[in-house]
Amino acid sequence: MIEIRNLYKNFDDLEVLRGVNLKIKPSEKVVIIGPSGSGKSTMLRCMNLLEKPTSGEIIFKDQVINHGHLDINKVRENMGMVFQQFNLFSNLNVLENLTLAPIIRHRLNKDEAEAKALELLKRIGLPEKVNNYPNQLSGGQQQRIAIARALMMDPDLLLFDEPTSALDPEMVGEVLELMTELAEAGMTMAVVTHEMGFARQVANRILFIDEGLIVEESNDPNDFFNNPREERTQQFLSKIL
Amino acid sequence: MVVSLQVIVDFIQNNFLKDDNWRYLANGFSITLQVTFFAFLLGFTLGIFLAIIRVACKDLKPSWKTPSGLLINLLSKISNLYITIIRGTPTTVQLLIMFNVILVNLHNLKIVAILTFGLNSAAYMAEIFRSGIQAVSPGEIEAARSLGLSYMQTMSRIVMPQAFRNCLPSFGNEVITLFKETSISGFIGLVDLTRGAGILISKTFRAAPPYFASALIYLIVVLILEQIFHALERRITHD
Ligand SMILES: Nc1ncnc2c1ncn2[C@@H]1O[C@H](COP(=O)(O)OP(=O)(O)O)[C@@H](O)[C@H]1O
Ligand SMILES: [Mg+2]
């Protein structure tokens, strides 16, 4: 689905990513953990080219997407992203938040988009919020709607950058529940999170990133948490578990 | 009471109704409104254009080597220079330069004033609009881009509507400033409200009534404009 080859990313003379390699297959759920500032967000943001890689290749659906010859907007239509701060459009109500992209990118006409939005809102349990503005919603509601907004484009891959880190504790559950549902429905996901319960339950693979490198990688989340092999992983896990 | 009412009626009769004196103020007021309105249209349009050029240049960092990049870079440099000059010189001097130098062959005073005030206001509106654009959450812009919206689509659907909302109060102030600033139009001989009052005084030799009357008219219009902008603000925020 997506592959990262030898990805380097510098911000001026700060080397944030130093040779990352990663391949995510369809329907895989990859959870990425690591200390703050280790480059997790930068890696996700390189995948949809919100950041431009300094060198290396991002290959999405068999095409190198970071060499400038593709219409990046077209590529991004198929790759959703969910942000820590939700980032719902504050000038639009919930319905418009959901329907803006599919309509303006000519994926759906207005009626189709609205029907789909209402259906998704029902699915996430917020049909009554259709005419509300983002500032009238709780954090958990906003994040669920942000996920629905990404789903409106029927993406092949969803990127989550600490989707529950900005939430009050009592709202974390509702967002993780929705993400788990998506995972079970077969969505391909790359999730940066500190929610280890979610990682254990959902991940096919877990990556530990530190100082711009993938330090440890495991296809068995439980084994990863119970018997981390690298010293830096052990240190990190001992701090957060 | 009857006496004082009579005094007022006489006062109005002598100062404004006699010889149709009020027409000096009314015609002047009409010119003031026209100049303000068309200068606003020009200033608003050009101001948004200047703001977008500068923001686009900063966001996109276009290369000097491609034709379109060169154009954006050049336009942005010109915009900066333009805004610096306009904001750094008095409007009166700009008006006199327009009248006596740049538009010396244009004999329609109203158009000279509209162009001057419009071009002047554009520089201020550009700055207002630019700060409004920069106050839009970068996260929302990234969210739009991550859904596949192009830069222009993001600008028109997310950034501009929010920028407009952000700068509505400053816009209101700028419109009011523009309206009051047109009172220097008399410098080039255009008979606006202020100059109309001056002409009336030269006829009646009484300064107070026409000047106070014109001041009152300015004040009433400013109060109306304030109400309009407050109403707009209320409509456009959804709290
Ligand atoms: N736009 C940027 N400009 C400069 N430095 C940045 C930028 N974005 C991130 N960084 C730096 O890159 C490093 C990694 O950041 P990030 O990928 O956000 O880490 P994480 O998500 O793992 O906490 C940090 O040191 C951060 O300060
Ligand atoms: Mg981060």
Side-chain angles (χ1 to χ4, degrees):
Chain A
M1 178 66 67
I2 194 165
E3 186 176 351
I4 300 177
R5 279 199 199 141
N6 215 17
L7 172 64
Y8 284 78
K9 175 63 187 176
N10 304 347
F11 290 109
D12 299 320
D13 47 11
L14 178 69
E15 291 185 327
V16 175
L17 297 178
R18 303 180 297 144
V20 171
N21 288 285
L22 171 65
K23 194 168 176 174
I24 302 179
K25 294 192 285 285
S27 290
E28 242 192 325
K29 298 101 188 57
V30 175
V31 164
I32 300 142
I33 64 171
S36 167
S38 56
K40 305 180 298 294
S41 296
T42 305
M43 184 178 94
L44 279 194
R45 294 161 56 82
C46 280
M47 291 191 194
N48 66 357
L49 300 190
L50 283 180
E51 301 289 354
K52 196 173 178 306
T54 305
S55 70
E57 281 168 352
I58 312 288
I59 300 152
F60 180 58
K61 302 212 282 181
D62 303 321
Q63 281 182 305
V64 179
I65 60 172
N66 63 319
H67 286 174
H69 60 292
L70 284 179
D71 176 2
I72 183 57
N73 300 321
K74 217 91 228 108
V75 174
R76 284 185 183 137
E77 286 178 21
N78 300 310
M79 207 186 319
M81 188 167 208
V82 176
F83 301 84
Q84 186 173 346
Q85 298 299 338
F86 332 133
N87 296 337
L88 290 181
F89 306 130
S90 51
N91 59 316
L92 303 180
N93 69 21
V94 167
L95 185 67
E96 294 161 339
N97 262 278
L98 295 187
T99 56
L100 174 68
I103 294 175
I104 205 174
R105 299 303 299 173
H106 304 297
R107 285 296 195 86
L108 302 173
N109 67 34
K110 190 162 181 282
D111 291 342
E112 293 166 344
E114 287 181 354
K116 182 170 178 134
L118 293 174
E119 188 189 314
L120 269 171
L121 284 174
K122 243 184 248 156
R123 184 168 151 203
I124 65 172
L126 295 171
E128 76 283 4
K129 301 296 182 191
V130 59
N131 291 318
N132 284 104
Y133 281 84
N135 63 2
Q136 301 165 328
L137 303 171
S138 75
Q141 293 170 338
Q142 290 190 54
Q143 192 63 299
R144 280 145 71 197
I145 286 163
I147 293 171
R149 178 176 66 178
L151 293 175
M152 286 293 293
M153 298 297 277
D154 287 324
D156 299 308
L157 167 67
L158 267 183
L159 309 171
F160 293 83
D161 191 358
E162 302 203 30
T164 57
S165 297
L167 293 176
D168 292 335
E170 75 269 21
M171 295 174 184
V172 170
E174 62 193 63
V175 171
L176 290 180
E177 207 174 297
L178 174 58
M179 290 170 62
T180 307
E181 242 178 78
L182 284 178
E184 282 164 1
M187 177 62 73
T188 315
M189 296 161 64
V191 185
V192 173
T193 185
H194 297 298
E195 294 295 332
M196 298 307 146
F198 175 82
R200 275 178 198 266
Q201 190 189 343
V202 170
N204 304 121
R205 188 141 48 106
I206 189 147
L207 308 178
F208 174 67
I209 295 197
D210 196 16
E211 297 182 352
L213 284 171
I214 296 179
V215 173
E216 185 165 350
E217 185 168 353
S218 166
N219 290 327
D220 182 347
N222 283 317
D223 181 54
F224 173 90
F225 287 115
N226 297 336
N227 311 301
R229 286 171 185 58
E230 300 290 329
E231 199 185 320
R232 276 192 281 171
T233 319
Q234 293 161 7
Q235 281 171 2
F236 176 74
L237 288 179
S238 72
K239 267 184 242 154
I240 61 161
L241 287 182
Chain B
M1 196 60 204
V2 177
V3 176
S4 64
L5 197 65
Q6 188 59 45
V7 170
I8 293 172
V9 169
D10 286 350
F11 178 85
I12 293 175
Q13 172 68 37
N14 291 332
N15 288 290
F16 299 109
L17 297 182
K18 202 173 72 186
D19 304 333
D20 276 352
N21 280 347
W22 60 274
R23 287 184 176 278
Y24 290 97
L25 297 181
N27 293 342
F29 182 48
S30 160
I31 296 287
T32 292
L33 287 183
Q34 290 173 48
V35 170
T36 304
F37 178 74
F38 290 108
F40 169 74
L41 286 188
L42 176 60
F44 183 80
T45 322
L46 184 61
I48 286 183
F49 178 74
L50 292 174
I52 291 177
I53 288 286
R54 300 178 74 196
V55 170
C57 186
K58 195 160 158 286
D59 286 353
L60 302 171
K61 299 186 186 69
S63 148
W64 283 90
K65 290 179 194 112
T66 65
S68 61
L70 182 75
L71 182 70
I72 293 186
N73 275 309
L74 272 181
L75 282 174
S76 170
K77 292 263 180 269
I78 295 171
S79 306
N80 288 344
L81 185 67
Y82 177 78
I83 290 167
T84 306
I85 292 175
I86 295 288
R87 302 210 316 161
T89 56
T91 317
T92 314
V93 175
Q94 292 163 17
L95 182 64
L96 292 172
I97 290 176
M98 286 293 260
F99 177 63
N100 290 302
V101 185
I102 298 173
L103 300 177
V104 68
N105 292 320
L106 182 62
H107 298 297
N108 187 329
L109 296 177
K110 203 159 75 181
I111 292 181
V112 174
I114 288 169
L115 285 174
T116 306
F117 292 117
L119 292 173
N120 173 279
S121 192
Y124 291 91
M125 299 232 199
E127 283 300 276
I128 291 169
F129 218 66
R130 190 174 63 119
S131 63
I133 290 173
Q134 281 170 344
V136 175
S137 138
E140 288 183 40
I141 297 173
E142 287 190 337
R145 299 307 305 272
S146 79
L147 287 161
L149 269 69
S150 69
Y151 180 76
M152 285 311 289
Q153 289 171 334
T154 306
M155 273 301 214
S156 70
R157 294 310 197 86
I158 306 301
V159 177
M160 285 301 161
Q162 291 191 36
F164 191 72
R165 187 177 72 190
N166 293 341
C167 36
L168 207 52
S170 312
F171 256 135
N173 288 337
E174 172 55 25
V175 171
I176 287 168
T177 303
L178 168 65
F179 168 68
K180 290 186 297 183
E181 212 160 43
T182 59
S183 64
I184 61 172
S185 298
F187 273 95
I188 61 169
L190 180 65
V191 185
D192 70 330
L193 177 56
T194 304
R195 177 49 76 93
I199 292 175
L200 185 50
I201 291 163
S202 67
K203 278 188 68 195
T204 61
F205 301 107
R206 279 198 292 198
Y211 278 151
F212 279 120
S214 64
L216 187 64
I217 295 172
Y218 281 114
L219 180 64
I220 290 169
V221 173
V222 167
L223 293 177
I224 292 172
L225 286 173
E226 276 178 354
Q227 289 309 310
I228 292 175
F229 275 95
H230 281 156
L232 272 178
E233 271 167 57
R234 273 195 303 273
R235 273 196 66 157
I236 219 164
T237 46
H238 337 273
D239 305 308

